[in-house]
Amino acid sequence: MKINFTGNDIILDDVKCLNLDLTLDCGQAFRWEKQPDGSWSGAADGVFLNIKNEEGRFILKNTTKENFETIWRRYFDLDRDYEEICARLKSDALLSATVDEYYGIRILNQNSWEALCSFVISQQNNIKRIKGIIKKLCQTYGEALENGFYSFPDAKRLCSLSISDFEALGTGYRAKYLARLSKAVASGEIDLDKIKILSLDEARKELLKIYGVGTKVADCALLFGFGFYDAFPVDVWMKRVMAHYPDGLPACFDGISGIAQQYLFHWARNNL
DNA sequence: GTCCAGGCATGCA
DNA sequence: TGCATGCATGGA
């Protein structure tokens, strides 16, 4: 990867295995919006970004070097060798064609609080509604950024909301989960940063203590918000996929089963 | 009107 | 442990 700082933009050359359409709209993040010019706008850690793939180069608009180095470099997982990972995954029979078909999916390193809340909201819900609820949450309680985008409100902001405040966002029966979760994180009863440095099993155990967080939500949060690439969220689609792996997950998934899961999810949606 | 959405808590065996 | 059931909401 070559990084060019030019004026207010940052241009990335030679980024391997990054398809923005597949990565930003595959159900791991819910706030990216495709613009008429084909670029994507979104925000992370309270910072707005517009990013576009132009003839193989990635252009990050109006971004400072500091924001790139402290947020986006890690957010898009730019220092991981996805070519090598995809080559490994393709040694599995089922993924050999799927990786080619959906080449360029990366795991986004999202803010852990946003990821945890988002996947609590996502349970027994469809992606369109999930996006609508989260957008309303941010518009109502987040801070205005650029171009009509908002930050994801932190736990200190949300801990004062009542259950009916959350219900007013359309969260339904998940409102009570979000209310209690916000209070627990704001009070320090739950420390998300400490969970990041635990082992996968220990981190999972901690998240499962949270009211409204089960195995699927915990694993999604761990994978997309806590940096655990070996977390393997099992949803209704993965349960169907697992029938194709009667002996369990193959060895080539070791350490990166979460990345494999993203490809399997696409395959399942189109083939099962 | 019915069914479903990338589940979870609860109660019961 | 393992399984059945209720749960909020909106779109198909």
Side-chain angles (χ1 to χ4, degrees), chain A residues 120-121 123-125 129 133 162-179:
Chain A
V120 166
I121 291 168
Q123 66 186 80
Q124 191 62 21
N125 213 336
R129 266 196 78 225
I133 291 168
S162 64
I163 291 175
S164 55
D165 289 331
F166 282 108
E167 284 175 340
L169 301 169
T171 57
Y173 71 91
R174 308 160 196 83
K176 54 187 179 295
Y177 302 153
L178 295 165

Side-chain angles (χ1 to χ4, degrees), chain A residues 7-149:
Chain A
N8 293 325
D9 300 341
I10 291 175
I11 299 175
L12 306 177
D13 284 305
D14 295 329
V15 177
K16 312 291 187 188
C17 193
L18 173 57
N19 181 313
L20 293 178
D21 291 354
L22 290 174
T23 299
L24 298 177
D25 195 25
C26 69
Q28 60 171 316
F30 302 101
R31 295 220 289 144
W32 290 91
E33 296 182 11
K34 194 165 191 177
Q35 304 304 124
D37 68 350
S39 67
W40 288 87
S41 291
D45 293 331
V47 175
F48 173 83
L49 179 72
N50 176 268
I51 182 169
K52 185 179 187 181
N53 182 345
E54 216 168 86
E55 296 169 3
R57 323 176 83 188
F58 291 91
I59 302 174
L60 288 69
K61 284 266 181 200
N62 295 316
T63 307
T64 65
K65 183 175 181 177
E66 186 189 351
N67 281 340
F68 175 76
E69 293 295 347
T70 59
I71 300 174
W72 305 117
R73 186 171 191 133
R74 177 172 154 72
Y75 187 89
F76 288 101
D77 209 17
L78 293 173
D79 292 310
R80 193 177 308 272
D81 186 351
Y82 276 77
E83 275 193 315
E84 186 270 334
I85 288 170
C86 286
R88 266 179 65 192
L89 295 179
K90 286 177 71 171
S91 64
D92 174 67
L94 203 161
L95 281 188
S96 63
T98 308
V99 168
D100 284 335
E101 193 176 351
Y102 298 101
Y103 192 72
I105 304 175
R106 281 176 176 250
I107 300 295
L108 300 169
N109 279 296
Q110 299 176 65
N111 173 279
S112 53
W113 166 246
E114 175 172 346
L116 188 53
C117 289
S118 296
F119 285 99
V120 166
I121 291 168
S122 80
Q123 66 186 80
Q124 191 62 21
N125 213 336
N126 62 66
I127 292 196
K128 188 175 179 185
R129 266 196 78 225
I130 298 165
K131 287 182 175 176
I133 291 168
I134 293 174
K135 185 170 187 175
K136 198 169 177 183
L137 172 70
C138 295
Q139 285 177 338
T140 309
Y141 299 106
E143 290 175 16
L145 305 175
E146 297 155 57
N147 302 309
F149 281 76

